[in-house]
């Protein structure tokens, strides 16, 4: 089942059945489940022999050979016949495509890395891999959350926008951040701590 095309695609647990071109010239890669463990009920861990139905899903994946591809997974819904099982039915899942996922884990990882490590702009990454801005940003924040501490260390000096006297009006006016407040660790090494809309609310929350 693991032919050369399957090895080239490299999605563990999935095997390439065939590849075709659609009307737009996009390569459509049809894959089937190649891991018998996907027939085990996730709650009871018992192998099911009761097929409910076959379905098609199209999780987004990385471009291949420089071009985007359409991944079509021919998968199955199974019944769990254990009377005590509350799940009743379940669908096949593999690590590269978790349950209810609309894109592969490697595509999500690549999108997040492009922003977090390569320092590319979210909108640029989204356009290059065919994803929306919120999806790419969520992938980036997930990677950041995994390596950043849960909260900032104690801050000795909290920085905020600067003010100076307007020579025309004689009044103190904010010179930066008129619509947003950027709060920074002035004497420490943590850099930007927060950026929120407005001024008073940001000060009150952080000083409290």
């Amino acid at each position: 089942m693991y032919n050369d095309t399957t090895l080239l695609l490299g999605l563990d647990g999935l095997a390439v059945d065939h590849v075709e071109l659609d009307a737009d010239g996009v390569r459509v890669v049809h894959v089937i489940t190649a891991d018998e463990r996907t027939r085990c009920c996730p709650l009871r861990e018992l192998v099911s022999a009761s097929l409910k139905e076959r379905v098609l899903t199209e999780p987004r994946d990385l471009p291949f050979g420089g071009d985007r591809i359409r991944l079509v997974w021919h998968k199955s819904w199974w019944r769990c016949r254990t009377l005590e099982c509350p799940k009743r039915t379940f669908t096949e899942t593999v690590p590269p495509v978790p349950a209810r996922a609309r894109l592969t884990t490697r595509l999500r990882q690549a999108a997040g890395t492009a922003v977090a490590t390569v320092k590319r702009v979210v909108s640029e990454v989204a356009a290059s891999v065919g994803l929306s801005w919120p999806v790419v940003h969520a992938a980036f924040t997930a990677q950041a959350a995994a390596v950043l501490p849960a909260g900032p260390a104690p801050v000795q000096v909290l920085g905020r926008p600067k003010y100076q006297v307007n020579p025309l009006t004689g009044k103190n006016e904010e010179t930066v951040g008129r619509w947003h407040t950027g709060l920074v660790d002035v004497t420490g090494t943590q850099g930007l701590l927060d950026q929120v809309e407005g001024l008073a609310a940001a000060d009150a929350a952080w000083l409290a």
Side-chain angles (χ1 to χ4, degrees):
M1 186 174 290
Y2 278 90
N3 53 38
D4 292 343
T5 308
T6 297
L7 294 175
L8 282 173
L9 183 65
L11 289 174
D12 186 35
L14 299 179
V16 176
D17 183 71
H18 67 281
V19 182
E20 61 183 358
L21 294 178
D22 66 11
D24 297 323
V26 176
R27 279 175 289 182
V28 183
V29 182
H30 294 264
V31 298
I32 57 177
T33 309
D35 189 344
E36 292 296 323
R37 292 173 296 181
T38 60
R39 291 173 52 187
C40 290
C41 173
L43 295 182
R44 295 297 177 178
E45 299 184 351
L46 298 175
V47 177
S48 174
S50 178
L51 177 65
K52 182 177 185 291
E53 63 177 321
R54 299 191 186 279
V55 295
L56 299 179
T57 61
E58 296 192 23
R60 298 282 190 89
D61 193 23
L62 288 170
F64 190 85
D67 299 319
R68 295 181 188 175
I69 64 172
R70 278 181 54 208
L71 189 67
V72 180
W73 183 7
H74 300 250
K75 62 190 303 188
S76 300
W77 277 89
W78 298 92
R79 299 183 182 91
C80 182
R81 292 301 193 184
T82 305
L83 296 178
E84 298 82 6
C85 182
K87 200 167 184 64
R88 300 299 183 189
T89 63
F90 61 93
T91 186
E92 296 171 338
T93 61
V94 293
V97 190
R100 296 179 295 278
R102 302 180 67 178
L103 59 156
T104 61
T105 53
R106 66 185 181 184
L107 174 56
R108 186 180 297 276
Q109 178 72 25
T113 299
V115 179
T117 304
V118 186
K119 306 296 191 296
R120 294 172 62 188
V121 179
V122 173
S123 57
E124 177 195 352
V125 176
S128 66
V129 296
L131 298 175
S132 66
W133 192 97
V135 170
V136 175
H137 187 265
F140 157 63
T141 55
Q143 287 198 22
V147 298
L148 293 176
V155 178
Q156 298 299 318
V157 181
L158 187 66
R160 59 162 296 168
K162 296 180 180 179
Y163 288 84
Q164 66 181 17
V165 177
N166 187 323
L168 299 179
T169 63
K171 297 180 179 180
N172 280 330
E173 294 185 358
E174 190 179 339
T175 59
V176 293
R178 295 183 182 276
W179 310 114
H180 289 79
T181 300
L183 299 171
V184 298
D185 184 3
V186 176
T187 58
T189 60
Q190 300 179 94
L192 181 65
L193 299 171
D194 196 5
Q195 182 170 331
V196 296
E197 188 173 358
L199 299 174
D203 279 352
W206 275 89
L207 292 178

